[in-house]
């Protein structure tokens, strides 16, 4: 009971932390300008954006199926797509952004009878995507600096915003450090020992590596395509250079969402947008509006996963 109360308190703390970050971002920008930028996004653009999210889930599910196949596990593509939608929905509504992936690894392991290999398959599939994202961010930052897109560091609300976010992150990290993080690190250390032996088979060997990189690049392109759709619908893409800037900044926003302290990256993503956009000479409100629009669209696109949640409860009943 005490452990359950502790977990409940930690979940509530993450929701509160997310709310505080979002409030800090909204306070740091012009509220009326932010509302205006949100209103510029045309509803018509949501059709291709949602289509991209369907492609994104299907391709990610295929990548997962391919990865576990290299580890000797079977996974029908239809089941992989269903489980990926369910995982995406749980990642959107539960703090941390990884509990959905933990759930699909557990469910697949239970069905396949190989829980450790199932966990490895999910972890390596996610690792493939994160490695490609990290390389894309590195290339984006280099391009932004080389082309002179990054302006001098904005002094003012941007500095206050960064300072506030860092203080909140540090305080929250201290609050969790005494309990959850220690247990997580102990489990992670044992887990990584088992993970090493499967990395070569499912990620690093030939021709697995180019397949993983290629599929992960396509998945990343679909994520960035959603940003481009929203920017196009808001009238931000008046040149090829503007599109390239949105892609570069969007990749950095995606990387900021990896920080597992908030719900689905909310707050941290918007804070990063409020800081990054003025650095390329664009209004902070434009970046926050795109970030909010992206978060809302991804949440809406994950709702098919909610159907599987209720379907599972009906089967249990």
């Amino acid at each position: 009971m005490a452990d359950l109360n502790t977990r409940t308190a930690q979940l509530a703390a993450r929701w509160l932390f997310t709310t505080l970050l979002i409030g800090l971002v909204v306070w740091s920008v012009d509220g009326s300008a932010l509302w205006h930028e949100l209103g510029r996004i045309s509803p018509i653009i949501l059709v291709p954006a949602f289509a991209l999210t369907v492609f994104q889930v299907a391709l990610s599910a295929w990548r997962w199926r391919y990865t576990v196949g290299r580890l000797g596990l079977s996974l029908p593509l239809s089941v992989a797509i269903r489980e990926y939608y369910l995982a995406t929905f749980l990642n959107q509504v539960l703090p941390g952004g990884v509990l959905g992936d933990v759930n699909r690894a557990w469910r697949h392991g239970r069905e396949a009878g190989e829980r450790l290999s199932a966990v490895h398959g999910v972890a390596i599939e996610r690792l493939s995507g994160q490695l490609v994202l990290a390389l894309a961010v590195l290339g984006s930052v280099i391009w932004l600096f080389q082309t002179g897109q990054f302006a001098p560091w904005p002094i003012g609300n941007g500095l206050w915003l960064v300072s506030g976010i860092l203080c909140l992150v540090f305080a929250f990290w201290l609050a969790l450090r005494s309990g959850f993080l220690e247990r997580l690190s102990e489990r992670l250390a044992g887990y990584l020992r088992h993970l090493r032996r499967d990395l070569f088979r499912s990620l690093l060997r030939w021709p697995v590596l180019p397949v993983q990189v290629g599929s992960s690049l396509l998945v990343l392109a679909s994520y960035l395509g959603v940003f481009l759709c929203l920017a196009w619908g808001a009238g931000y893409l008046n040149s090829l250079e503007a599109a390239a800037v949105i892609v570069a900044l969007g990749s950095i926003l995606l990387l900021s969402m990896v920080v597992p302290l908030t719900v689905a990256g909310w707050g941290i993503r918007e804070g990063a947008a409020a800081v990054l956009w003025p650095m390329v000479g664009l209004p902070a409100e434009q970046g926050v509006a795109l970030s909010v629009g992206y978060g809302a669209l991804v949440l809406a696109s994950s709702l098919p996963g909610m159907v599987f949640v209720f379907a599972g409860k009906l089967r249990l009943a």
Side-chain angles (χ1 to χ4, degrees):
M1 180 62 71
D3 187 57
L4 178 61
N5 291 336
T6 301
R7 290 177 183 273
T8 303
Q10 289 173 348
L11 290 176
R14 287 177 184 269
W15 278 101
L16 177 61
F17 179 63
T18 302
T19 304
L20 287 174
L21 279 183
I22 293 174
L24 180 62
V25 173
V26 172
W27 171 81
S28 70
V29 300
D30 186 330
S32 60
L34 174 59
W35 186 254
H36 173 72
E37 295 295 337
L38 285 170
R40 292 183 58 176
I41 301 177
S42 171
I44 299 175
I45 209 64
L46 298 180
V47 175
F50 274 118
L52 278 173
T53 64
V54 173
F55 169 77
Q56 178 187 113
V57 171
L59 183 58
S60 298
W62 180 90
R63 183 179 63 186
W64 176 32
R65 180 175 183 267
Y66 178 82
T67 303
V68 297
R70 306 286 73 76
L71 299 178
L73 301 182
S74 63
L75 180 63
L77 182 59
S78 59
V79 175
I81 293 174
R82 181 194 71 197
E83 293 295 319
Y84 222 99
Y85 263 115
L86 175 59
T88 302
F89 173 71
L90 293 178
N91 284 343
Q92 288 296 309
V93 299
L94 294 177
V98 295
L99 295 179
D101 297 306
V102 172
N103 180 66
R104 68 181 165 101
W106 179 82
R107 285 164 61 93
H108 181 220
R110 182 185 60 185
E111 293 295 328
E114 288 286 344
R115 296 198 174 185
L116 185 58
S117 296
V119 170
H120 287 179
V122 170
I124 294 171
E125 180 258 331
R126 287 295 299 264
L127 176 64
S128 170
Q130 299 303 332
L131 288 176
V132 168
L133 174 59
L135 290 175
V137 169
L138 178 61
S140 297
V141 171
I142 292 174
W143 178 78
L144 287 169
F145 273 110
Q146 285 185 340
T147 57
Q149 299 289 342
F150 268 145
W153 181 260
I155 303 297
N157 281 348
L159 183 59
W160 283 106
L161 178 61
V162 172
S163 301
I165 288 177
L166 289 177
C167 289
L168 283 173
V169 169
F170 182 67
F172 191 63
W173 176 78
L174 287 178
L176 291 180
R177 186 176 181 275
S178 60
F180 176 73
L181 291 182
E182 268 90 355
R183 293 195 297 272
L184 179 62
S185 62
E186 290 172 4
R187 295 173 185 174
L188 192 60
Y191 166 69
L192 289 176
R193 286 194 294 268
H194 294 286
L195 180 62
R196 294 190 192 102
R197 66 187 181 188
D198 285 340
L199 273 170
F200 182 78
R201 284 194 297 165
S202 60
L203 181 62
L204 300 178
R205 68 184 299 178
W206 181 268
V208 176
L209 181 59
V211 173
Q212 289 278 17
V213 171
S215 60
S216 295
L217 279 172
L218 287 175
V219 171
L220 176 59
S222 69
Y223 280 114
L224 296 175
V226 173
F227 274 109
L228 285 175
C229 283
L230 294 172
W232 184 25
Y236 299 150
L237 302 185
N238 52 15
S239 66
L240 263 175
E241 185 179 60
V245 169
I246 293 295
V247 167
L249 296 179
S251 66
I252 301 175
L253 291 189
L254 290 174
L255 185 63
S256 72
M257 294 170 60
V258 175
V259 180
L261 289 179
T262 63
V263 181
W266 284 98
I268 292 180
R269 179 183 60 235
E270 286 68 37
V275 172
L276 287 170
W277 258 250
M279 292 181 68
V280 295
L282 296 173
E285 293 79 13
Q286 181 187 119
V288 176
L290 282 178
S291 180
V292 170
Y294 175 85
L297 191 143
V298 171
L299 174 61
S301 69
S302 72
L303 292 181
M306 184 173 62
V307 176
F308 300 127
V309 173
F310 287 112
K313 289 184 177 180
L314 287 174
R315 282 195 298 269
L316 285 175

